[in-house]
Amino acid sequence: MLVTHYDNLQVKRNASQEVIRGAYKHLSQKWHPDKNPENTDEAERILKIINAAYDVLSDLTRRKQHDEWIKEQESYENASKSDKYETIDNIDAAV
């Protein structure tokens, strides 16, 4: 399954900049290492992911590039799935 920056910020792909900013603020506060003293390593790892997602989605040019990358990946995944089904059909037809 494809995981995107939208997934990492837990927002929809058509989310407004305000929604993205709000999700970032919420998640960055939730996962700040100071608020997770029992598991700072995990909190730091997750905070890096959240920061990277916000860096891309808050920049309109980089967000557009990310959206195009998602479409390419989904297209590739769909093509791969259909190839697998064709192979199975071919095997069944040969039997």
Side-chain angles (χ1 to χ4, degrees), residues 2-68:
L2 181 65
V3 178
T4 69
H5 289 308
Y6 296 103
D7 298 321
N8 292 335
L9 288 183
Q10 301 172 355
V11 297
K12 293 182 179 182
R13 291 185 188 173
N14 62 351
S16 67
Q17 290 297 325
E18 293 79 22
V19 169
I20 290 170
R21 186 174 27 258
Y24 168 73
K25 286 183 178 185
H26 169 74
L27 291 171
S28 62
Q29 289 175 359
K30 177 181 177 180
W31 288 103
H32 194 280
D34 291 346
K35 292 196 176 186
N36 293 279
E38 69 286 346
N39 198 355
T40 56
D41 290 341
E42 180 73 1
E44 287 174 359
R45 184 185 72 79
I46 292 172
L47 193 56
K48 285 180 184 179
I49 293 169
I50 292 166
N51 286 334
Y54 184 69
D55 285 346
V56 170
L57 297 182
S58 64
D59 180 307
L60 295 179
T61 302
R62 293 176 70 195
R63 182 176 179 177
K64 183 177 178 183
Q65 291 170 342
H66 184 61
D67 290 343
E68 290 170 5

